[in-house]
Amino acid sequence: MPSQPATALSVNLNKIALLRNSREGNYPSVLQHAQICLDAGADGITVHPRPDQRHIRPHDVTELADMIRPLKDIEFNVEGNPFAGRHGSYPGFMALVQSSRPDQCTLVPDSDEQLTSDHGFDLIQSGARLAPIIAELHALGCRVSLFMDPLPEQIELAKQVGADRIELYTGPYAAAFLQRAPNLDELFEQYCLAAQTASALGLGVNAGHDLNLLNLPRFRRLPGLLEVSIGHALTVDSLALGMSTAVQRYKAICCS
C-alpha cells in the first residue's frame, strides 16, 4: 500500500515578531528566522498580521514577500481577517495582500479582542461578503483558503463561495489530545469526515492551530492533508532544540 504523500510544513513566525517587539530594534529578525526555517526544510512561511500589530507588522509582510518571491517551490501564506480595515499605521488586511501578493491567502474570522484564532467561519452569515473578496484575491493570483471548523455543511458552502482550500481549525483536537479526552477518536473521525468532504468537492485541505510534536503524528494521517501551519509550538520547541532542529523534527513527521 503506498504511503501518504508528504504534508507541506509552513512555519508561522508571529511569535518571533512578538519577541522582537518587546524591545526596540530588530532582534530577533523575522527575516533571518524565516531563512533559518527554509534552510532547515520548511516548505513555506506563514504570517498573521493583525490591526493592533502585536506581532507581525506591515513591513514584515512586505519584506518577507520580497524575500520569498524569487524562491522556487516556497510558499508565502498570509493569514488574517479580510474585513479588518485601516487602523493607525496598519493599512488594512486587503491592502497588505494587494501589495504583497502572497502565494496563499488564508482568511480567518478573528477579531481584535481575540488572543488568537479560535473558530472557523460561519458561511451562512458571512459567505455573501466573502465571495467578492475571494474573487478579488483570485484576480491578484492568490490561492484562497478559509479557516473552518470540521463541519461538512459549512465546508460545502466554502466551495460555493469560491475557496480553493480550507484550513481546518485544530484547536479542539489539540485540547482533546492533551487532556486524553474519551471522545478523541470520535473527534478525529469528525475531522476525517470534514477532510473527505472537502476533497470530494475539489477543495484542498490545510490545518493549523496548537499542533505540536506530540499530536501532529496522528493528525498527519488525516486524508488528503496538504499543509500544516505551525508557529507557537514550533517556536517553543526551538527554545530547547534550536530552530533548525525543531523545523527538522516537524518536517520529519510531515514526511512520515
Side-chain angles (χ1 to χ4, degrees):
M1 182 176 179
S3 60
Q4 181 167 323
T7 297
L9 171 65
S10 186
V11 178
N12 187 316
L13 294 176
N14 282 13
K15 293 303 167 65
I16 299 298
L18 180 69
L19 182 61
R20 176 201 59 193
N21 295 351
S22 67
R23 292 289 188 273
E24 296 294 330
N26 187 40
Y27 184 72
S29 163
V30 171
L31 282 182
Q32 288 178 3
H33 281 77
Q35 191 63 59
I36 290 170
C37 293
L38 296 178
D39 289 343
D43 301 289
I45 297 297
T46 291
V47 291
H48 188 145
R50 288 182 167 89
D52 61 11
Q53 301 188 56
R54 70 185 83 162
H55 33 60
I56 289 294
R57 292 174 174 168
H59 72 85
D60 295 315
V61 179
T62 301
E63 292 168 3
L64 284 166
D66 291 342
M67 170 189 168
I68 294 172
R69 190 173 294 113
L71 302 179
K72 184 179 179 181
D73 299 326
I74 298 298
E75 178 194 271
F76 185 37
N77 175 44
V78 177
E79 301 179 343
N81 189 332
F83 307 126
R86 179 180 292 274
H87 181 80
S89 60
Y90 180 79
F93 181 79
M94 290 300 291
L96 267 180
V97 172
Q98 288 162 0
S99 63
S100 60
R101 302 203 175 196
D103 303 290
Q104 178 171 265
C105 188
T106 301
L107 306 183
V108 183
D110 60 343
S111 67
D112 293 350
E113 293 75 29
Q114 289 177 231
L115 181 63
T116 185
S117 308
D118 60 12
H119 64 279
F121 277 106
D122 177 354
L123 294 178
I124 296 174
Q125 299 295 323
S126 57
R129 292 180 68 197
L130 279 173
I133 289 173
I134 293 170
E136 180 180 350
L137 292 171
H138 283 158
L140 294 172
C142 303
R143 180 173 68 232
V144 180
S145 180
L146 297 183
F147 198 63
M148 302 294 294
D149 299 310
L151 302 172
E153 62 275 16
Q154 287 285 339
I155 292 168
E156 291 174 0
L157 294 176
K159 176 66 174 180
Q160 293 178 23
V161 297
D164 304 294
R165 293 189 183 185
I166 59 166
E167 179 175 325
L168 288 170
Y169 166 52
T170 51
Y173 162 79
F177 189 98
L178 179 65
Q179 298 161 7
R180 300 181 180 179
N183 69 330
L184 178 60
D185 289 345
E186 179 182 351
L187 182 60
F188 183 67
E189 286 303 315
Q190 185 177 345
Y191 279 94
C192 288
L193 176 60
Q196 290 164 344
T197 299
S199 295
L201 292 167
L203 293 169
V205 179
N206 299 344
H209 201 87
D210 287 343
L211 294 173
N212 59 36
L213 290 172
L214 296 178
N215 63 38
L216 180 59
R218 179 171 188 174
F219 205 84
R220 217 310 253 170
R221 301 202 300 267
L222 194 80
L225 182 61
L226 297 176
E227 177 184 313
V228 289
S229 175
I230 302 178
H232 180 83
L234 192 151
T235 305
V236 172
D237 290 329
S238 297
L239 298 176
L241 301 172
M243 195 157 213
S244 292
T245 300
V247 170
Q248 291 164 6
R249 291 274 299 274
Y250 279 91
K251 180 66 175 176
I253 295 171
C254 289
C255 293
S256 63

